[in-house]
Amino acid sequence: MTSVKDNLIRVKASLPERVTLVAVSKFHPAEAISEAYSVGQRDFGESRAQELASKAPSLPEDIRWHFIGHLQTNKVRSVVASAHLIQSVDSIKLLREIDKEAKRVGRVIDVLLEVHVAAEDTKSGFTPAEIVRMLTPGLIGSLSHTRITGIMGMASNVDDDDRIAADFDALRSVYDTLRGGVMAPYPDFNTLSMGMSHDCQLAIAHGSNMVRIGTDIFGQREY
Ligand SMILES: *Cc1c(COP(=O)(O)O)cnc(C)c1O
């Protein structure tokens, strides 16, 4: 088996410089994260609040933790304590809870809105129509401690490149619509997070500037 270091160097070399690599370390031990850290990786993705809370304290403080899993409102406090970017905001209730907790601890937190375009119902997120409808200047203005810096999405889990490409185009189109519309006054709205191990090159070709890669760096996850 190749090492995490070698994998990371190879993956990194395959990405254009403008694309941020989030190394998805969920279900992998702190030692694997340390190995990636030792060759310069700083952005790591976790999908469970408890796992993040148990790993973060033992690892270097300059790691930027990305929360990418479904987040329940009762776990927001623990995630806000260590997350650099919460990528998986899939309801207004969650957005308001994040804002409240960030305010309570006196920090401003960055979030991405999760947009659902994939064929599977199991994936969460706002539909493109919902997001355009709900993201009003009033809502944005009511958030005092949360910055919406982009959107995150996943393509369908299928073997059909045309379908995957169409999903990425749909995400890109939501991103462009918001950037040219309600988010135009906010230049920090600049992140389009899409692409995983198996589809990241296609995602980049369709406009992604942040990819979330687990398997290609850390190997298969053991559940
Ligand atoms: C697990 C996960 C990834 C990484 O998937 P790989 O196929 O292992 O690269 C990316 N994004 C999200 C939201 C995930 O949950």
Side-chain angles (χ1 to χ4, degrees), residues 120-149:
E120 299 85 22
D121 287 340
T122 48
K123 298 191 169 116
S124 38
F126 300 98
T127 65
E130 275 168 356
I131 209 154
V132 170
R133 190 162 3 102
M134 74 90 188
L135 196 60
T136 59
L139 175 65
I140 300 162
S142 74
L143 303 169
S144 60
H145 288 71
T146 310
R147 276 197 319 180
I148 300 172
T149 58

Side-chain angles (χ1 to χ4, degrees), residues 17-137:
E17 216 159 312
R18 61 175 185 83
V19 175
T20 301
L21 170 62
V22 178
V24 177
S25 48
K26 62 187 184 192
F27 301 101
H28 292 285
E31 296 73 59
I33 298 173
S34 294
E35 192 179 336
Y37 182 92
S38 75
V39 283
Q41 182 64 24
R42 293 294 180 271
D43 292 273
F44 291 90
E46 289 287 338
S47 63
R48 296 189 305 183
Q50 242 149 356
E51 191 173 343
L52 174 60
S54 73
K55 280 177 179 170
S58 67
L59 286 156
E61 272 189 24
D62 64 342
I63 285 183
R64 294 182 289 269
W65 294 105
H66 295 245
F67 194 81
I68 61 171
H70 179 65
L71 179 55
Q72 291 167 292
T73 47
N74 64 350
K75 302 277 172 58
V76 166
R77 182 165 297 183
S78 116
V79 169
V80 163
S82 50
H84 159 75
L85 178 64
I86 300 177
Q87 299 206 8
S88 44
V89 174
D90 58 3
S91 74
I92 296 185
K93 185 174 164 225
L94 178 59
L95 188 58
R96 293 208 186 282
E97 187 66 23
I98 290 169
D99 197 53
K100 191 178 101 193
E101 282 301 326
K103 183 174 184 183
R104 196 182 64 85
V105 295
R107 65 170 295 204
V108 173
I109 189 151
D110 290 352
V111 304
L112 307 182
L113 301 173
E114 184 171 355
V115 179
H116 177 105
V117 295
E120 299 85 22
D121 287 340
T122 48
K123 298 191 169 116
S124 38
F126 300 98
T127 65
E130 275 168 356
I131 209 154
V132 170
R133 190 162 3 102
M134 74 90 188
L135 196 60
T136 59

